[in-house]
């Protein structure tokens, strides 16, 4: 789980949405962005596929992912650590 962290890699913290695949998880990252016209904050979300070598993360877990080399057509992130387990 704990990979060697290199400099200048992007990091995201999100919630595991799916862990049905082998050695892969889908992580939803929520963020807020200001609307350019109305100047109000709008909630947005992105989903990333991340590599989970030991199938440790489960749905509902809060995890930290880091940028990684491409491992498949859609996987460019890797699970760095599990911040909080789901209840």
């Amino acid at each position: 789980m704990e990979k060697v962290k290199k400099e200048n890699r992007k990091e995201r913290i999100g919630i595991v949405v799916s862990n049905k695949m082998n050695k892969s998880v889908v992580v939803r990252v929520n963020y807020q962005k200001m609307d350019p016209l109305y100047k109000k904050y709008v909630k947005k979300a992105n989903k990333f596929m991340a590599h989970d070598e030991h199938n440790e993360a489960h749905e509902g877990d809060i995890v930290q992912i880091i940028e990684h080399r491409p491992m498949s057509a859609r996987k460019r992130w890797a699970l760095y650590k599990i911040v909080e387990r789901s209840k």
Side-chain angles (χ1 to χ4, degrees):
M1 179 175 78
E2 290 281 336
K3 297 185 182 298
V4 177
K5 194 170 176 185
K6 295 183 181 177
E7 294 292 323
N8 300 327
R9 284 194 177 184
K10 293 178 187 173
E11 299 176 10
R12 302 284 187 265
I13 294 178
I15 300 170
V16 176
V17 178
S18 171
N19 67 340
K20 293 181 174 86
M21 299 163 284
N22 189 29
K23 295 188 177 184
S24 298
V25 291
V26 178
V27 179
R28 186 183 73 229
V29 177
N30 297 320
Y31 64 97
Q32 291 182 337
K33 187 173 185 178
M34 185 180 283
D35 184 272
L37 178 61
Y38 297 110
K39 307 301 183 201
K40 299 269 185 169
Y41 281 98
V42 180
K43 292 179 183 177
K44 295 188 175 247
N46 283 346
K47 286 199 278 189
F48 299 100
M49 282 186 66
H51 185 68
D52 181 9
E53 182 67 34
H54 304 294
N55 292 321
E56 295 172 334
H58 303 291
E59 284 187 34
D61 292 350
I62 298 174
V63 296
Q64 183 176 5
I65 57 175
I66 57 171
E67 212 174 20
H68 199 270
R69 66 178 174 79
M71 287 181 252
S72 69
R74 294 177 57 205
K75 276 201 305 192
R76 273 107 171 97
W77 295 82
L79 179 71
Y80 182 63
K81 68 180 175 181
I82 297 173
V83 177
E84 183 180 324
R85 290 274 182 195
S86 65
K87 295 176 172 77

